[in-house]
């Protein structure tokens, strides 16, 4: 057989058709596709999951523009003589620290996760735990910045040092991390 352009194209077409029959199921293992997206950041009081300060003694506004809530029990963990921390071997409750609002498009279930800090429980205004997915509370749509005390979810905190060692709450003065979850019924 003489090699011509027509024979070469015919051979390549036959080869491609054979490969198509072998791998032509339409299934794939992985796909990587780069796409652009834009995320707008907003402060806690204006974000989709809104968190608005109620208590000014224990809830501080941090960040460059005072946009992030931080719960601070005691004077920033300092050694100041006037600093007031929680009692050892006690259950201490702080009510009405901040409100959670919903600037999204659907009602959400909200709960807190304390990321391994024993003895710390977030509570609602009735004193019920909202720590853990099983204790979620529904937050309907609505901005709560004008009347945070009337929000669907007003958050407090219980710190129980009765069964924990002093090592749990002392150490390197780094703040503890919490995670706030908000999910729609479809998730």
């Amino acid at each position: 057989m003489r090699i011509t352009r027509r024979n070469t194209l015919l051979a390549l077409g036959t080869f491609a058709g054979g490969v198509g029959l072998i791998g032509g199921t339409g299934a794939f293992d992985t796909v990587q596709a780069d796409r652009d997206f834009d995320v707008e950041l907003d402060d806690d009081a204006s974000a989709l999951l809104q968190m608005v300060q109620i208590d000014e003694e224990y809830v501080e506004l941090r960040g460059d523009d005072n946009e992030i809530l931080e719960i601070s029990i005691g004077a920033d963990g300092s050694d100041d003589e006037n600093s007031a921390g929680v009692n050892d071997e006690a259950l201490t409750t702080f009510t009405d620290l901040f409100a959670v609002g919903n600037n999204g498009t659907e009602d959400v279930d909200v709960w807190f996760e304390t990321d391994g800090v024993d003895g710390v429980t977030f509570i609602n205004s009735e004193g019920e735990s909202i720590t853990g997915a099983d204790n979620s509370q529904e937050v309907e749509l609505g901005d709560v910045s004008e009347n945070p005390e009337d929000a669907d979810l007003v958050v407090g905190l219980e710190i129980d040092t009765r069964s924990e060692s002093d090592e749990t709450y002392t150490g390197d003065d780094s703040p503890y991390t919490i995670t706030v979850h908000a999910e729609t019924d479809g998730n």
Side-chain angles (χ1 to χ4, degrees):
M1 176 163 145
R2 198 172 115 206
I3 298 179
T4 64
R5 181 177 167 188
R6 182 176 298 188
N7 289 340
T8 303
L9 288 175
L10 182 61
L12 286 174
T14 304
F15 175 73
V19 169
L21 289 174
I22 293 171
T25 64
F28 55 87
D29 289 329
T30 63
V31 171
Q32 179 176 338
D34 296 330
R35 302 290 186 267
D36 291 337
F37 72 98
D38 187 25
V39 175
E40 183 75 24
L41 299 179
D42 214 335
D43 59 38
D44 282 350
S46 301
L48 290 172
L49 184 67
Q50 183 182 36
M51 291 182 272
V52 177
Q53 175 187 27
I54 295 175
D55 185 286
E56 293 180 8
E57 182 176 357
Y58 298 113
V59 178
E60 300 177 9
L61 297 173
R62 298 291 179 132
D64 294 336
D65 296 319
N66 290 329
E67 71 274 15
I68 300 170
L69 291 181
E70 179 179 284
I71 299 172
S72 182
I73 309 299
D76 298 326
S78 69
D79 293 328
D80 181 12
E81 291 179 24
N82 296 321
S83 167
V86 297
N87 293 68
D88 191 16
E89 300 296 325
L91 175 64
T92 306
T93 303
F94 301 90
T95 58
D96 302 343
L97 295 175
F98 63 96
V100 176
N102 181 356
N103 287 325
T105 59
E106 297 180 59
D107 296 348
V108 293
D109 293 325
V110 175
W111 76 92
F112 291 76
E113 190 176 329
T114 58
D115 297 331
V117 182
D118 294 329
V120 174
T121 304
F122 284 86
I123 58 173
N124 62 21
S125 55
E126 286 81 39
E128 300 164 335
S129 174
I130 50 175
T131 301
D134 292 339
N135 297 316
S136 67
Q137 180 170 332
E138 184 177 55
V139 177
E140 296 179 356
L141 292 173
D143 183 327
V144 299
S145 58
E146 294 296 319
N147 297 307
E149 296 86 3
D150 296 333
D152 287 341
L153 180 56
V154 175
V155 179
L157 178 66
E158 286 184 346
I159 301 175
D160 188 351
T161 60
R162 294 177 294 189
S163 63
E164 303 303 319
S165 71
D166 290 341
E167 300 302 315
T168 301
Y169 304 103
T170 61
D172 62 4
D173 292 334
S174 296
Y176 297 108
T177 300
I178 63 161
T179 304
V180 182
H181 296 269
E183 290 187 358
T184 61
D185 288 334
N187 289 330

